[in-house]
Amino acid sequence: MHLTQTLIQKIVAAHSSERCRPGDVVWLSIDLATARDFGGANVVKNLEREYPETPVEDPSATLFTFDCQAPANTIGYANNQHIVRTFAKKHGIRIYDVNGGIGSHLIMDRGHCIPGSTAVGTDSHLNLVGAIGALGLGMGDRDIAFAFKTQRVWFKVPETIEVRMIGTFDYPTTPKDMALLFLGNLGPSGALNAAVEFCGAAVESLNLSGRITLSSLVTEAGGVAGLISPSEAVLDELKVSKGNRERVVKRDAGAPFVRKIEIDVSGLQPKVAMPGNPCSVVNITEVAGTPIDSVLIGSCTNGRYEDIVLAADILEGRKVKNGVMLKIAPATREIYGRLLKEGIISKLYDAGAIIVNQGCAGCAAGQVGMTGKGEVQISTGNRNFPGKQGAGDTYLASPVVAAYSAIYGEIRVPE
Amino acid sequence: MHITGRACFIKNASGALIDNIDTDMIFHNAHLHVTDIAQMAQYAFGNLSGWEKFPESASNYDILVVGGNFGAGSSRQQAVDCFIASGIKAILAESFAPIYFRNAINSGMAVLTLEGAQEGARQTLEEIPDGAELSVNLKTGEVAIGGKKGVISCPPIPPVLLSIIEAGGLFEFAKKTSK
């Protein structure tokens, strides 16, 4: 009998010679192994200790991406970045240095990670490449060093949860609100150790940016990854070649899901996650009027061109409230460049925003700075655990809510 | 493989095991540049409310008992290695976050979870006094408390993962098996 499989199970089966049923531990072949400035120095240390002769199996399938601190603003990070640069040069490994941007975005945008492929990296949100129907796995530095050396990792095949999102919503609601709705429904362990496969009309209509936002929040529900089968429009946006389009994987009819969840987004209103827990999601009306001190627009969840344009359209011709700090970090250098050339950065500048270098920024204590004790921040990021982005309190919301909040100095219901 | 030793129960003020302890609570991102394992013990639980002083008493314990979704958040290996540097030899969790589970096994840390254990296992653990002797058997999933065998039955660790732990971690396993 032919075994029917979910999207992730099919990718795993295509990358392993062993039986791939949920719970099985297999050796998974890896198409792309990456490390960042966070974790990267430890990967190098492991490789030089364990495999000093030939530390890297295939330099063409191996990358470093510096995105935590761009450029380094602590000696520790500066030292670590330089350890990685030296190693990469010695072994002919490509680096996207501090001028590149967020690695998980770059590997999709530059075609290093394509639909149906496997990628690993020292980034717990590397799984957001599920947005293009690829299997990305965030891992620690031992796993990644082993992947550099062998192009393989062990992998416990997860169960798959189907999350079907139906209905439609209108501006000012955004894909971030849809993602927060999903996260609030599931909670911090709602997808624990499982994979999520998103489907339904509300998901299928999302462009690449919206899909990234959705897939980027699966880690916060405890999930291994959240995958979406790419639409033709997304394949076009990614400029996927004809040959590679044949590698696109879709689930089998009747694929086995451990659970099926349906979420209706009809009439969805903007959502906000309360400080300390990304899953503590409320309707914005419950916290509207809460005074804020700072606003951060960016991160691997909402640092795309479309996200920043949403904010710029609101901020154009208006001013950030006196005493409020608005910080914007584009995800990649290309996004930054496009915003600059199209005059969008200029609109943000005129409104009073600080635009910092491309990269992760807030979640990694990076170039965007941190919050002080008592400071209240609203961020478009994905993680607001206590102490994560500084000593202050961080709310999570969409770029639209963030932009309005910057103008009024309080959590503001969009007009 | 089994490990016997004194257990530390990571509970809140009302005596419940704490759930969803994330990697920033275990090993804060301010210390991510630390690459020397010997330097990591001092930061263990440094950002977990009520447990900031854990490094001072870590040498009294061999086994950590923790709640659900332990190690949520980032991929940092330091969040496991800080416990290895503290002399912890096993972690018994209600459940682990996926990346943390990998990292623990790859560092040769013995791990067991209550996923699939009998009902009430968590409450049983919550009633055991701090420092009590536990014995965890990874091959059978049995947990003995104070010498009394089979008090809790956890699912055993899959054979290949057990081999990695027994070897002392992923690199050591690879050397032994030429994987």
Side-chain angles (χ1 to χ4, degrees), chain B residues 4 133-135 144-151:
Chain B
T4 301
E133 188 188 278
L134 288 195
S135 184
I145 299 170
K148 195 176 165 206
K149 285 187 180 173
V151 178

Side-chain angles (χ1 to χ4, degrees), chain A residues 172-335:
Chain A
T173 300
T174 68
K176 178 61 168 289
D177 304 299
M178 185 172 153
L180 286 173
L181 176 69
F182 153 77
L183 195 54
N185 278 11
L186 267 81
S189 53
L192 192 62
N193 292 308
V196 169
E197 189 170 330
F198 291 106
C199 61
V203 175
E204 282 152 23
S205 64
L206 293 175
N207 63 9
L208 178 59
S209 164
R211 288 170 187 234
I212 290 173
T213 301
L214 189 56
S215 287
S216 75
L217 283 168
V218 171
T219 302
E220 278 55 57
V224 173
L227 280 72
I228 308 170
S229 197
S231 62
E232 285 300 316
V234 165
L235 295 173
D236 291 343
E237 201 176 335
L238 288 164
K239 300 185 179 73
V240 175
S241 70
K242 199 166 170 243
N244 284 337
R245 285 184 194 226
E246 282 161 19
R247 292 185 59 178
V248 171
V249 178
K250 287 189 165 61
R251 67 158 87 165
D252 294 320
F257 291 96
V258 67
R259 199 148 53 101
K260 291 189 178 190
I261 299 168
E262 186 171 278
I263 299 174
D264 188 351
V265 301
S266 303
L268 179 65
Q269 296 300 306
K271 296 276 183 184
V272 173
M274 302 296 284
N277 179 0
C279 302
S280 174
V281 175
V282 299
N283 283 325
I284 188 171
T285 45
E286 291 183 39
V287 286
T290 305
I292 50 137
D293 303 295
S294 51
V295 181
L296 173 56
I297 298 175
S299 86
C300 64
T301 293
N302 279 122
R304 298 294 287 188
Y305 170 83
E306 291 84 346
D307 296 316
I308 295 167
V309 167
L310 270 179
D313 286 346
I314 295 159
L315 288 155
E316 184 174 6
R318 304 169 88 166
K319 291 281 181 202
V320 172
K321 190 177 166 93
N322 197 19
V324 171
M325 190 167 30
L326 169 59
K327 303 179 281 190
I328 298 175
T332 69
R333 177 175 165 82
E334 262 125 32
I335 293 168

